[in-house]
Amino acid sequence: MSITANLRRLRTEFPDNVSLIAVSKYQPVESLRQAYDAGQRLFGENRVQELVVKQAQLPSDVEWHFIGTLQTNKVKLIVPFVHTIHSIDSLNLLREVDRQACKHNRVIRILLQLHLARESTKHGLFPDECLALLRVFRPEEYPFVRIDGLMCIASFTDDTECVRQEFRRLRTLFDTCRSDFFPHAPHFRHLSMGMSHDYPIALGEGTTMLRIGTAIFGTRL
Ligand SMILES: *Cc1c(COP(=O)(O)O)cnc(C)c1O
């Protein structure tokens, strides 16, 4: 199946209020161009260097989402253009995004990444750490970041019930965070969850952002 056909098929599977982020990591720029020509505008990358190189080669109306582990010393390379960072896992990293974004007078949207999977290799905040961060977070101290929601990567398993439970836990935590910390902040509305193998489950649990790579572009090089 072609990239165009994959995108067309995927778009029939969920409503318009769910965003589709085409995860183009390790894919050649030519593949991103094909997706762009098919109307795709949201792209996700997980490595800073690759993102910087690709960003320079695609039209400026692409909305770039950073979804990988981010080191504080690399934040400055992506803040000039990145739209949303899905992988904020500490107040320290959040602070650095704010500091760098200030220099460009841009507000960067961020999501807090949660660690809900069974694998210890996954990154992110544990739920109690997330709540602790939000308890000390003062929006007026960080005018150049905006927390738009939560993100997680589910366990990599065929056990659909396990994956469903993880997505459900993110949803429940999201509801708690919204009512406790963002009651008057309508921008706090995103749940970034669901990849190629588990997006149907994520749709059932209320995702608003799907991050899909292989189901669009095929297997990575
Ligand atoms: C690679 C990646 C994806 C997409 O994975 P696919 O299985 O190719 O859809 C989604 N989210 C993150 C954080 C990733 O690193």
Side-chain angles (χ1 to χ4, degrees):
M1 284 271 265
S2 72
I3 291 169
T4 307
N6 289 337
L7 281 169
R8 195 174 298 141
R9 179 181 46 78
L10 276 166
R11 288 203 191 102
T12 65
E13 295 180 30
F14 45 84
D16 286 346
N17 60 348
V18 174
S19 299
L20 173 61
I21 297 162
V23 177
S24 47
K25 63 189 188 194
Y26 307 103
Q27 300 292 346
V29 169
E30 191 41 51
S31 296
L32 281 76
R33 287 220 181 85
Q34 279 180 38
Y36 182 90
D37 289 340
Q40 183 65 30
R41 292 294 178 272
L42 280 54
F43 289 85
E45 289 283 338
N46 73 336
R47 293 189 305 183
V48 167
Q49 211 48 53
E50 193 176 338
L51 172 55
V52 168
V53 168
K54 285 174 170 170
Q55 187 268 338
Q57 296 180 67
L58 267 100
S60 60
D61 64 341
V62 166
E63 193 179 293
W64 292 100
H65 290 246
F66 189 79
I67 61 172
T69 309
L70 184 58
Q71 292 166 297
T72 45
N73 62 349
K74 299 215 171 139
V75 167
K76 60 177 177 294
L77 300 173
I78 62 171
V79 287
F81 62 86
V82 78
H83 182 274
T84 303
I85 300 174
H86 292 232
S87 43
I88 299 296
D89 61 0
S90 71
L91 195 55
N92 194 37
L93 185 56
L94 184 157
R95 190 176 294 123
E96 178 64 8
V97 174
D98 180 72
R99 218 166 64 82
Q100 297 297 337
C102 171
K103 298 180 186 168
H104 300 272
N105 198 28
R106 298 187 73 226
V107 176
I108 311 283
R109 295 138 204 255
I110 63 170
L111 306 176
L112 300 178
Q113 181 171 356
L114 270 292
H115 182 152
L116 302 174
R118 294 191 288 204
E119 293 106 275
S120 57
T121 52
K122 298 265 173 6
H123 294 274
L125 297 155
F126 290 110
D128 56 338
E129 295 174 322
C130 172
L131 294 169
L133 186 157
L134 290 173
R135 247 175 245 125
V136 298
F137 175 77
R138 295 278 165 273
E140 59 277 15
E141 286 176 27
Y142 306 98
F144 299 96
V145 298
R146 192 178 87 181
I147 304 181
D148 276 6
L150 306 180
M151 175 273 213
C152 82
I153 304 172
S155 295
F156 189 73
T157 169
D158 291 333
D159 181 350
T160 55
E161 221 20 68
C162 166
V163 172
R164 190 185 315 283
Q165 287 310 325
E166 290 171 7
F167 288 156
R168 200 163 284 178
R169 281 167 61 206
L170 190 70
R171 174 63 197 261
T172 304
L173 182 66
F174 170 82
D175 289 340
T176 303
C177 292
R178 187 166 52 176
S179 60
D180 288 3
F181 303 107
F182 299 94
H184 308 295
H187 60 79
F188 189 85
R189 64 187 176 88
H190 282 297
L191 273 170
S192 169
M193 57 187 198
M195 306 169 36
S196 293
H197 61 283
D198 58 17
Y199 73 86
I201 307 172
L203 282 167
E205 300 304 325
T207 183
T208 70
M209 287 179 167
L210 299 172
R211 309 179 310 268
I212 298 187
T214 43
I216 296 172
F217 296 105
T219 45
R220 286 180 274 276
L221 304 173

